[in-house]
Structures are given as C-alpha cells and as structure tokens.
Amino acid sequence: VKENGKNDYLLHSGDMDHVALHKLTIQHEMRRALLNQEFALFYQPQYDLASGQIVGMEALIRWFHPERGLVPPGDFIPAAEESGIIVPLGDWVIEEACRQNKEWQNQGMPFIPVSVNLSMRQFSQRNLTGKVSDILEQTGLDPRYLELEITESMTMDVDRASQCLKELTDLGVNISIDDFGTGYSSFHYLKNLPIARLKIDRSFVRDIQQDPNDAAIVAAIIAMAHNLQLQVIAEGVETEDQVHFLRSHRCDEMQGYFGSPPLPSDGVLALLREKLNR
Ligand code: C2E
Ligand code: CA
Ligand code: CA
Ligand code: CA
C-alpha cells in the first residue's frame, strides 16, 4: 500500500479486491456499452382506471450485454450513479425516449406521454433544464409528452429542488414523484413543489388486500393527492382485486404486470396500433 492511492490499496487488500475490481469492470463495460448501443428502452403502459385506456408509459432501461445477456437496471444503475456514468447514460435515456415518442406520433399513433426516471446525480446538474430543452428541440417532441420521475430524496433540499423543478415545468414538462411513501415525505414540499402526480410505491400496493395498514395508507395517499389537485397512480398492480380496491378509492391510474409488463418498442407499437383501430 503506497502513494498510488486508493485503487492500489483496494487491489491489494483481500476481500476488497472483488468489490473494487467489479466496480472498475462494470464502469468500463458501461462506457463501452453506451458506444456499442447495447442499451435499449422498454416501456410499461399506464392505464386510466376508469376507462381502461392507456394514458402513459414509463421508459425503463435494459442492457443487452454481449456475454451476460439481459442485465436488469438494478444490477447497473447503482454503479452508474456512483461512477457518474449515469449522467451521459441518463441523457441518452431522455433523448431516446423523446425520439421514440416523436417517431410514434409521426407514424400516426395516438399521442401518449412518456415518463423518464431521473437520478439524483442528473437532477443536481446545473444545466439539466438546458439539456432537456435541447433534447425537446432536437427531437421536436412537444414538452407536454415528457414527464420526469424524481424521488423524495431528491427534494430534501426544497429550495434547490423547487428552483430546478420550476425551470423544468416552465418548459412544459410534467414532474411526478416516484416510489411515493418510501422516502422523506413532507407536506411542505408537496404543497410547494410544482408536481403533477404521485406514484404510490409498489410496497404499499402489494398487500392492499391482506394488510389493513397498507389499505389505509393507500386510501389516504389517494385522498391527499386529490385534495392537493395531484394525479395519483399506483405502481406494481398485479391482481384484479388490487384494481377493484384502487378503483373504488378513485385512484386515477395504474401501472403493473396486471396491465402489462414493460415491453420492447415493437410491442408498444402493436398496442398503439390496437388503440388506433378500436
Ligand atoms: P421504478 O422506477 O420504481 O420502476 C418500476 C419497476 O417495477 C420496474 O423494474 C418494473 O419492471 C417493475 N414492475 C412493474 N410492474 C410490476 C409489477 O406488477 N410487479 C413487480 N414486482 N414489479 C413491477 P425495472 O425495470 O427492473 O427497474 C428497476 C428500477 O431501476 C426502477 O424502479 C428505477 O428506479 C431504475 N431505472 C430503470 N430505468 C431507469 C432509467 O432509465 N434511469 C434511471 N435513473 N433509473 C432507472
Ligand atoms: Ca419510476
Ligand atoms: Ca417506482
Ligand atoms: Ca423503485
């Protein structure tokens, strides 16, 4: 262990070897993957609970690794965030989602907004609004068809978040709070941030039928959202019973395997065509 610093230390210290090496490997591989276009976006439809219509779709990144096959985001997003690669990767996601959405519109498909997940690192960039604005201009997508999903932890610094969100909403983009209920919820920011909707985390929806506490929490979130004039969507909806519960509590929308799993772009196109022919 000498002046060479951290990496050298890590590479020569038993158990840490694997962790450090794995991180370096995955960082290197993600850079290569971005150049080689190994990433793709899948889209999960969001349904209006009253009409059953598709009213949105969430873009979810997938990595088709040449040797390891399909790598789920949970296996690389944390490393991408830690290393900072999430910034170029996240830019690519926004661009690809906007490009694809505009292409479907150009093909005469129904106009359905797309939601993109933002990481903390992206959210704290100074020029995020500029980037989003450039992407919208380049792709020609009307901002109202782009929604950005942030999590509660990103709004901890309410003043900064508020400034950033105001710039984004001034562009015409919508903001939603993802995984609602799992982070630091404060009525203060719900009241003060320019948010269009809440996404109730899957962990509350899962046991809605069995656990009266979860049922009470979900019912309360829906009622609160509506009192604040926010739209509310339930995540991870898997059963018809859950749909009945959500509908009877006037939840606006749902997303989950019950409606559809995330689909590759040709699968979405087929759904949009179907919608067109109905
Ligand atoms: P998330 O934003 O909460 O996305 C929802 C996750 O729940 C997705 O997992 C989706 O496939 C899964 N899911 C949807 N319906 C159901 C259901 O009925 N039951 C269950 N058990 N799961 C369901 P996925 O695609 O593996 O993504 C995991 C997480 O990775 C996402 O959670 C998000 O935090 C992150 N992620 C995905 N794509 C991106 C991206 O482009 N950028 C960033 N920063 N993060 C991303
Ligand atoms: Ca999300
Ligand atoms: Ca979520
Ligand atoms: Ca999540």
Side-chain angles (χ1 to χ4, degrees), residues 4 35 37 54 138 153 176 224 244 275:
N4 268 359
L35 292 172
Q37 300 177 301
I54 296 173
Q138 277 157 27
S153 63
S176 69
M224 179 193 68
H244 287 315
K275 205 170 145 69

Side-chain angles (χ1 to χ4, degrees), residues 50-69:
S51 69
Q53 289 281 318
I54 296 173
V55 290
M57 51 178 120
E58 179 176 4
L60 294 159
I61 196 167
R62 297 290 181 263
W63 182 1
F64 293 95
H65 191 283
E67 288 111 42
R68 285 189 275 147

